[in-house]
Amino acid sequence: MLFRSILLGLTATPERMDGKAITPDFNNRFSAEIRLQEALDQQLLSPFAYFCVTDDTVNLSRLACGADGKYDINQLEAQYIGNINRFGKIQDAINRYITDPNGCKAVCFCCSIAHAEWMATMFNNNGYKAASVTSKNSKEIDKYSEQLVQGKINYLCVADILNEGIDIPEIDTVLFLRPTESLTIFLQQLGRGLRLADGKTELTVLDFVAQANVKYNYESRFRALIGPSNSSVRKLVDKGFTVLPRGCSINMELQAQQYILSNISESIFNLRR
């Protein structure tokens, strides 16, 4: 319940996965609220090392995108599934940013069932231990969760099944392999790795950043991570994040940084227009 309260404190309109407001379930009142930044500073959650990795193997700016920033899943699948160059980027980032690529406990968020299955196959074909869990085999979630904890697998590829309700504190790595349009879902997915666990020093996050549709919102994601600040998100992205919670860091590869800055600038321009 503590972590649910933390996430609720981050969203303007707390909601469930079905899109309905959660406040009526609590008689429209909350007895207490704690923000993500405060929980991190109080060491109630694991600190994070967030890496924005350049994904120049796809261009999402040309894909159909609704006003809510949601991409067409079929178009995302066409970009991701079978993209060997993209898997090479993912593998390179894993070897560069993860201390023990063959000993981590990672959850990989994918855009669809087919994408999750393809990613698990690619991991296994390249010497990693992986499995996929989706709505097709959701009954096996306990089995694969236990295998992840025991180290029998290191990469659990999922499609919208570990957003909430599953507690695996040992998760020490999160891979965002798809654009997540909902801030609520993004925070829930990030939250899978923020639980405290024995021997866990921090959560490693790899966020694969491509050219995005102007309707996609990067700014809200980083605003949620940094919390209240007198500096604009665009300035912090450009000059560096100096106002993060204790023990946390955000690092951006140069091209990924330019993709994000361009997206924020275009969004501001459209808003003003």
Side-chain angles (χ1 to χ4, degrees), residues 71-168:
Y71 289 95
D72 180 86
I73 296 299
N74 292 328
Q75 292 186 357
L76 286 178
E77 282 186 341
Q79 294 278 318
Y80 295 154
I81 298 175
N83 190 336
I84 303 301
N85 290 335
R86 186 172 194 258
F87 183 80
K89 287 276 185 179
I90 294 170
Q91 188 175 18
D92 179 66
I94 286 172
N95 292 331
R96 192 179 337 137
Y97 296 120
I98 298 178
T99 303
D100 185 3
N102 295 107
C104 64
K105 296 176 174 61
V107 173
C108 311
F109 290 102
C110 304
C111 74
S112 68
I113 293 173
H115 184 212
E117 291 175 343
W118 186 77
M119 284 301 307
T121 298
M122 290 300 295
F123 276 124
N124 286 318
N125 289 346
N126 284 272
Y128 304 98
K129 295 177 292 184
S132 63
V133 178
T134 67
S135 56
K136 279 178 59 176
N137 63 338
S138 59
K139 293 181 179 180
E140 298 182 286
I141 182 62
D142 291 337
K143 178 182 77 173
Y144 287 125
S145 296
E146 186 63 25
Q147 288 185 7
L148 187 69
V149 171
Q150 294 175 353
K152 294 180 180 179
I153 61 173
N154 301 112
Y155 297 89
L156 190 59
C157 302
V158 303
D160 296 334
I161 199 169
L162 278 184
N163 292 339
E164 61 178 10
I166 301 296
D167 186 18
I168 312 175

Side-chain angles (χ1 to χ4, degrees), residues 2-267:
L2 170 64
F3 191 73
R4 180 177 292 273
S5 299
I6 292 166
L7 293 187
L8 290 175
L10 280 166
T11 55
T13 306
E15 60 184 34
R16 301 190 304 236
M17 287 301 296
D18 59 8
K20 297 180 180 179
I22 199 171
T23 48
D25 296 337
F26 296 88
N27 198 28
N28 297 309
R29 296 176 61 187
F30 295 102
S31 59
E33 180 183 68
I34 184 170
R35 300 276 172 166
L36 175 62
Q37 297 75 28
E38 184 181 353
L40 288 164
D41 284 333
Q42 294 184 16
Q43 299 181 321
L44 299 174
L45 298 175
S46 171
F48 58 78
Y50 197 110
F51 297 95
C52 293
V53 182
T54 302
D55 182 4
D56 55 6
T57 67
V58 297
N59 186 341
L60 307 186
S61 65
R62 305 190 190 100
L63 302 190
C65 190
D68 57 356
K70 186 174 182 178
Y71 289 95
D72 180 86
I73 296 299
N74 292 328
Q75 292 186 357
L76 286 178
E77 282 186 341
Q79 294 278 318
Y80 295 154
I81 298 175
N83 190 336
I84 303 301
N85 290 335
R86 186 172 194 258
F87 183 80
K89 287 276 185 179
I90 294 170
Q91 188 175 18
D92 179 66
I94 286 172
N95 292 331
R96 192 179 337 137
Y97 296 120
I98 298 178
T99 303
D100 185 3
N102 295 107
C104 64
K105 296 176 174 61
V107 173
C108 311
F109 290 102
C110 304
C111 74
S112 68
I113 293 173
H115 184 212
E117 291 175 343
W118 186 77
M119 284 301 307
T121 298
M122 290 300 295
F123 276 124
N124 286 318
N125 289 346
N126 284 272
Y128 304 98
K129 295 177 292 184
S132 63
V133 178
T134 67
S135 56
K136 279 178 59 176
N137 63 338
S138 59
K139 293 181 179 180
E140 298 182 286
I141 182 62
D142 291 337
K143 178 182 77 173
Y144 287 125
S145 296
E146 186 63 25
Q147 288 185 7
L148 187 69
V149 171
Q150 294 175 353
K152 294 180 180 179
I153 61 173
N154 301 112
Y155 297 89
L156 190 59
C157 302
V158 303
D160 296 334
I161 199 169
L162 278 184
N163 292 339
E164 61 178 10
I166 301 296
D167 186 18
I168 312 175
E170 290 81 4
I171 292 172
D172 57 23
T173 306
V174 169
L175 275 66
F176 289 112
L177 301 179
R178 58 152 299 165
T180 305
E181 66 279 352
S182 165
L183 179 59
T184 300
I185 292 177
F186 166 73
L187 291 170
Q188 288 170 341
Q189 291 177 344
L190 179 69
R192 297 310 97 202
L194 291 177
R195 307 293 202 277
L196 297 175
D198 292 340
K200 178 177 171 182
T201 58
E202 67 179 7
L203 170 69
T204 300
V205 182
L206 303 186
D207 189 354
F208 292 85
V209 177
Q211 285 181 281
N213 189 293
V214 67
K215 296 176 183 177
Y216 188 76
N217 188 347
Y218 273 117
E219 184 169 12
S220 62
R221 173 178 305 197
F222 293 105
R223 174 60 66 190
L225 293 177
I226 64 177
S229 171
N230 293 327
S231 299
S232 68
V233 172
R234 180 168 55 175
K235 180 179 179 181
L236 292 171
V237 171
D238 187 30
K239 303 299 183 182
F241 293 85
T242 58
V243 290
L244 291 169
R246 181 194 304 179
C248 298
S249 63
I250 298 178
N251 301 278
M252 296 184 174
E253 295 181 356
L254 181 59
Q255 187 60 67
Q257 179 191 46
Q258 293 305 311
Y259 288 157
I260 294 170
L261 285 172
S262 176
N263 173 264
I264 293 175
S265 296
E266 290 176 0
S267 297

